[in-house]
Amino acid sequence: MKHLTILVPDVQTANSTISCIVGAYQIFTGANDYWKRIGKEPLFTIVTAGVGTEAVFINGLLSMKPQVNVSTLKKTDLILIPSLTPEFKTALEGNILLIDWLKKQYENGAEVASMCTGAFMLAASGLLEKRNCSIHWSSADNFRSLFPNVNLKTEKLITDEDGIYTNGGGFSFLNLLLYLVEKYYDRETAIHCSKIFQIEIDRQTQSAFTIFTGQKSHGDDVVIKAQKYIEDHFCEKLSVEDLSKFCSVGRRNFDRRFIKATGNTPIEYLQRVKIESAKKSFETTGKTVSEVMYEVGYSDTKAFREMFKKITGISPVHYKNKYNKNLNDSLYDKV
């Protein structure tokens, strides 16, 4: 029988930390129970493990006692790291001990999966250096500043590389758990768990959930000035030359500073601002795709559709049908 360890941090936690711990325990217990029902031996022994005697969550409202101390676990096969505070800066106190332990376990053959902002702990261990990683889109800027050598893939819902798994944000950790159930058990068990816990299986991207606000904590006043101008004039015809002149900076230097500060080229930033505006129109108005396209400064339908899908992962029509409440209400009325 394999061994699964669900970590219980006692510092740098968030409200979502306990959701990840309980969700992981339920889903893997459900997978074990399913195997017993079909005549197979349970695949995993499941334990929660920490370094303290008790972890407290949600301002003392809930507490959890880890079943074992990690120091007593000499060998495990799979380690799950729950989400942590999105304001993570450096590993503190008990989390340092957890990091040292999971590094040794990985070197000893264990696989490691981080849920949402649990990627901060995983990256702090050094195991994500030069590897791909996903995280909640709202924590991406902080993550990049702390771990510039990690290949952050915020459009990905799940990454899988060298026995290290990460996933996006919020409750998408449930999709990672299904992914791991399929990998360790089988497809049949993953489908069973998806039905029992009512989780959509095979989700691949979190792009449609991203709200683009632009990285503005970089401290470069020239780039801030350019960002504000783009956001105020995105529906107009803008060029990088116009922006660099507006900011009184040479084109090459402007490009370099903008990319360093925001993680996007000026053109990429402009496109993301346009598409974010288009998304809001689709969500809140009855405008057609063509009307929204012209409103945000596109004149080529194909180019607009391709850029919208590149950024959100779905087509404009699909997005509108999915998120426009008035449209959905009218559909329900016809049923």
Side-chain angles (χ1 to χ4, degrees), residues 72-84:
T72 67
L73 296 176
K74 304 306 179 186
K75 181 76 171 70
T76 192
D77 298 288
L78 177 61
I79 303 166
L80 300 182
I81 307 170
S83 64
L84 299 173

PDB file of all heavy atoms in Angstrom, residues 72-84:
ATOM      1  N   THR A  72       8.286  11.849  12.179  1.00  0.00           N
ATOM      2  CA  THR A  72       8.101  10.402  12.363  1.00  0.00           C
ATOM      3  C   THR A  72       7.900   9.667  11.047  1.00  0.00           C
ATOM      4  O   THR A  72       7.886   8.437  11.026  1.00  0.00           O
ATOM      5  CB  THR A  72       6.893  10.120  13.278  1.00  0.00           C
ATOM      6  OG1 THR A  72       5.689  10.524  12.604  1.00  0.00           O
ATOM      7  CG2 THR A  72       7.009  10.878  14.590  1.00  0.00           C
ATOM      8  N   LEU A  73       7.712  10.431   9.948  1.00  0.00           N
ATOM      9  CA  LEU A  73       7.479   9.820   8.641  1.00  0.00           C
ATOM     10  C   LEU A  73       8.800   9.710   7.888  1.00  0.00           C
ATOM     11  O   LEU A  73       9.318  10.709   7.381  1.00  0.00           O
ATOM     12  CB  LEU A  73       6.479  10.650   7.831  1.00  0.00           C
ATOM     13  CG  LEU A  73       5.061  10.744   8.399  1.00  0.00           C
ATOM     14  CD1 LEU A  73       4.225  11.678   7.537  1.00  0.00           C
ATOM     15  CD2 LEU A  73       4.424   9.362   8.479  1.00  0.00           C
ATOM     16  N   LYS A  74       9.319   8.522   7.812  1.00  0.00           N
ATOM     17  CA  LYS A  74      10.594   8.317   7.129  1.00  0.00           C
ATOM     18  C   LYS A  74      10.427   8.110   5.632  1.00  0.00           C
ATOM     19  O   LYS A  74      11.348   8.346   4.857  1.00  0.00           O
ATOM     20  CB  LYS A  74      11.320   7.105   7.740  1.00  0.00           C
ATOM     21  CG  LYS A  74      11.530   7.209   9.235  1.00  0.00           C
ATOM     22  CD  LYS A  74      12.235   8.515   9.637  1.00  0.00           C
ATOM     23  CE  LYS A  74      12.407   8.609  11.150  1.00  0.00           C
ATOM     24  NZ  LYS A  74      12.966   9.923  11.563  1.00  0.00           N
ATOM     25  N   LYS A  75       9.240   7.663   5.207  1.00  0.00           N
ATOM     26  CA  LYS A  75       9.018   7.386   3.787  1.00  0.00           C
ATOM     27  C   LYS A  75       7.560   7.630   3.444  1.00  0.00           C
ATOM     28  O   LYS A  75       6.662   7.177   4.148  1.00  0.00           O
ATOM     29  CB  LYS A  75       9.378   5.921   3.477  1.00  0.00           C
ATOM     30  CG  LYS A  75       9.201   5.529   2.012  1.00  0.00           C
ATOM     31  CD  LYS A  75      10.351   6.081   1.164  1.00  0.00           C
ATOM     32  CE  LYS A  75      10.315   5.503  -0.258  1.00  0.00           C
ATOM     33  NZ  LYS A  75       9.189   5.978  -1.087  1.00  0.00           N
ATOM     34  N   THR A  76       7.328   8.379   2.383  1.00  0.00           N
ATOM     35  CA  THR A  76       5.983   8.587   1.866  1.00  0.00           C
ATOM     36  C   THR A  76       6.049   8.582   0.345  1.00  0.00           C
ATOM     37  O   THR A  76       7.136   8.781  -0.229  1.00  0.00           O
ATOM     38  CB  THR A  76       5.362   9.886   2.406  1.00  0.00           C
ATOM     39  OG1 THR A  76       3.964   9.914   2.107  1.00  0.00           O
ATOM     40  CG2 THR A  76       6.023  11.116   1.793  1.00  0.00           C
ATOM     41  N   ASP A  77       4.921   8.379  -0.312  1.00  0.00           N
ATOM     42  CA  ASP A  77       4.908   8.294  -1.782  1.00  0.00           C
ATOM     43  C   ASP A  77       4.374   9.549  -2.455  1.00  0.00           C
ATOM     44  O   ASP A  77       4.796   9.897  -3.552  1.00  0.00           O
ATOM     45  CB  ASP A  77       4.062   7.091  -2.225  1.00  0.00           C
ATOM     46  CG  ASP A  77       4.642   5.790  -1.729  1.00  0.00           C
ATOM     47  OD1 ASP A  77       5.692   5.380  -2.273  1.00  0.00           O
ATOM     48  OD2 ASP A  77       4.079   5.189  -0.806  1.00  0.00           O
ATOM     49  N   LEU A  78       3.437  10.221  -1.795  1.00  0.00           N
ATOM     50  CA  LEU A  78       2.829  11.417  -2.376  1.00  0.00           C
ATOM     51  C   LEU A  78       2.573  12.422  -1.261  1.00  0.00           C
ATOM     52  O   LEU A  78       2.000  12.079  -0.223  1.00  0.00           O
ATOM     53  CB  LEU A  78       1.513  11.069  -3.079  1.00  0.00           C
ATOM     54  CG  LEU A  78       0.705  12.228  -3.681  1.00  0.00           C
ATOM     55  CD1 LEU A  78       1.505  12.960  -4.754  1.00  0.00           C
ATOM     56  CD2 LEU A  78      -0.621  11.715  -4.256  1.00  0.00           C
ATOM     57  N   ILE A  79       2.992  13.676  -1.496  1.00  0.00           N
ATOM     58  CA  ILE A  79       2.814  14.750  -0.517  1.00  0.00           C
ATOM     59  C   ILE A  79       1.922  15.814  -1.131  1.00  0.00           C
ATOM     60  O   ILE A  79       2.170  16.269  -2.256  1.00  0.00           O
ATOM     61  CB  ILE A  79       4.167  15.384  -0.125  1.00  0.00           C
ATOM     62  CG1 ILE A  79       5.122  14.327   0.432  1.00  0.00           C
ATOM     63  CG2 ILE A  79       3.962  16.511   0.885  1.00  0.00           C
ATOM     64  CD1 ILE A  79       6.566  14.792   0.523  1.00  0.00           C
ATOM     65  N   LEU A  80       0.887  16.224  -0.401  1.00  0.00           N
ATOM     66  CA  LEU A  80      -0.003  17.295  -0.845  1.00  0.00           C
ATOM     67  C   LEU A  80       0.205  18.518   0.033  1.00  0.00           C
ATOM     68  O   LEU A  80       0.113  18.430   1.268  1.00  0.00           O
ATOM     69  CB  LEU A  80      -1.462  16.845  -0.774  1.00  0.00           C
ATOM     70  CG  LEU A  80      -1.857  15.629  -1.621  1.00  0.00           C
ATOM     71  CD1 LEU A  80      -3.349  15.352  -1.475  1.00  0.00           C
ATOM     72  CD2 LEU A  80      -1.509  15.849  -3.086  1.00  0.00           C
ATOM     73  N   ILE A  81       0.472  19.657  -0.610  1.00  0.00           N
ATOM     74  CA  ILE A  81       0.674  20.924   0.096  1.00  0.00           C
ATOM     75  C   ILE A  81      -0.573  21.785  -0.083  1.00  0.00           C
ATOM     76  O   ILE A  81      -0.926  22.115  -1.214  1.00  0.00           O
ATOM     77  CB  ILE A  81       1.891  21.681  -0.448  1.00  0.00           C
ATOM     78  CG1 ILE A  81       3.138  20.799  -0.453  1.00  0.00           C
ATOM     79  CG2 ILE A  81       2.140  22.963   0.347  1.00  0.00           C
ATOM     80  CD1 ILE A  81       4.321  21.418  -1.194  1.00  0.00           C
ATOM     81  N   PRO A  82      -1.256  22.171   0.983  1.00  0.00           N
ATOM     82  CA  PRO A  82      -2.455  23.003   0.832  1.00  0.00           C
ATOM     83  C   PRO A  82      -2.090  24.452   0.536  1.00  0.00           C
ATOM     84  O   PRO A  82      -0.920  24.846   0.592  1.00  0.00           O
ATOM     85  CB  PRO A  82      -3.122  22.875   2.203  1.00  0.00           C
ATOM     86  CG  PRO A  82      -1.971  22.705   3.147  1.00  0.00           C
ATOM     87  CD  PRO A  82      -0.956  21.859   2.395  1.00  0.00           C
ATOM     88  N   SER A  83      -3.090  25.253   0.231  1.00  0.00           N
ATOM     89  CA  SER A  83      -2.850  26.662  -0.065  1.00  0.00           C
ATOM     90  C   SER A  83      -2.352  27.394   1.185  1.00  0.00           C
ATOM     91  O   SER A  83      -2.615  26.979   2.321  1.00  0.00           O
ATOM     92  CB  SER A  83      -4.124  27.325  -0.580  1.00  0.00           C
ATOM     93  OG  SER A  83      -5.124  27.318   0.419  1.00  0.00           O
ATOM     94  N   LEU A  84      -1.638  28.483   0.950  1.00  0.00           N
ATOM     95  CA  LEU A  84      -1.101  29.314   2.027  1.00  0.00           C
ATOM     96  C   LEU A  84      -1.553  30.753   1.813  1.00  0.00           C
ATOM     97  O   LEU A  84      -2.286  31.053   0.871  1.00  0.00           O
ATOM     98  CB  LEU A  84       0.428  29.232   2.044  1.00  0.00           C
ATOM     99  CG  LEU A  84       1.046  27.853   2.282  1.00  0.00           C
ATOM    100  CD1 LEU A  84       2.545  27.916   2.109  1.00  0.00           C
ATOM    101  CD2 LEU A  84       0.699  27.348   3.680  1.00  0.00           C
TER     102      LEU A  84
END
